[in-house]
Amino acid sequence: MSKFQKALQSKAGKVSDQARKAKVHRAGASFGPVDIPDGSYTAIVSASTDVPTKGKLEGIPIVRFTATVDGGEHEGKEPKKTFFLQGKPPVDPKGDEIPTDEQQLLGLLEFLLPDVESPEDIAQIESYIEEVNNRLPLCTIGVRNRHVTPATGGGPKHYQDVYFNKMLK
């Protein structure tokens, strides 16, 4: 079992069945905004995993999807969408609460691999991510840049939302 699988099983394993039943495909924040304006782009999607060994995210499995723009003025730029799999209990997908990263990840994997059934076990997620990397799906993505001034003061923080809107290939 890989380091990622062990961390995933430890953190998110206990809620995987619930998350699978309540999965959601919904875009969220990405860190490290890329210099690309708001708009729609075609992009090739790949994914990576990580488990930090230091800091406040130590031991938390992370899955990052990279959407490499494949044409036009912004060709080669890579907006990203990141999921932090902390094992939070799933929320009602029809409710007002933001779905957990586990729910959103399962929904995005189902979107990117429409001919593959959702993982039955949380330990299978790594193989699904490998399949995304084998296929490198082509999608239409949406990018939205946001600047938020924290309530605690300080300068504005910059965020970038990446939406996976339509499968092209």
Side-chain angles (χ1 to χ4, degrees):
M1 187 179 287
S2 75
K3 179 179 168 183
F4 177 79
Q5 287 175 323
K6 287 178 187 174
L8 186 60
Q9 191 67 41
S10 168
K11 293 291 182 180
K14 59 188 168 278
V15 296
S16 65
D17 285 340
Q18 296 167 334
R20 188 170 46 83
K21 292 174 187 164
K23 65 186 170 278
V24 176
H25 172 65
R26 182 174 170 182
S30 175
F31 295 92
V34 175
D35 182 23
I36 188 170
D38 292 358
S40 290
Y41 305 91
T42 58
I44 298 168
V45 180
S46 61
S48 62
T49 61
D50 188 26
V51 181
T53 57
K54 297 179 184 175
K56 67 180 183 179
L57 296 176
E58 181 179 352
I60 295 177
I62 298 171
V63 178
R64 183 171 288 111
F65 287 86
T66 302
T68 306
V69 177
D70 76 334
E73 180 181 346
H74 301 286
E75 183 172 1
K77 292 186 179 177
E78 298 181 324
K80 294 176 177 55
K81 177 161 182 59
T82 305
F83 298 101
F84 300 92
L85 307 176
Q86 301 177 50
K88 293 180 180 176
V91 300
D92 180 357
K94 295 179 177 116
D96 291 338
E97 290 183 77
I98 295 174
T100 66
D101 280 11
E102 289 84 358
Q103 288 174 279
Q104 292 181 55
L105 171 64
L106 290 169
L108 181 55
L109 286 171
E110 190 172 274
F111 173 79
L112 294 171
L113 302 170
D115 59 327
V116 178
E117 278 192 40
S118 289
E120 291 292 322
D121 185 332
I122 198 79
Q124 293 176 309
I125 288 197
E126 195 167 29
S127 65
Y128 282 69
I129 290 166
E130 288 172 12
E131 185 61 23
V132 168
N133 290 331
N134 288 336
R135 293 183 186 192
L136 297 173
L138 181 65
C139 296
T140 300
I141 64 164
V143 174
R144 179 179 71 169
N145 295 287
R146 298 184 294 136
H147 307 285
V148 179
T149 303
T152 57
K157 294 192 177 211
H158 306 283
Y159 297 96
Q160 191 168 67
D161 297 323
V162 180
Y163 300 88
F164 296 84
N165 295 325
K166 182 180 178 184
M167 288 291 294
L168 300 174
K169 179 180 140 193

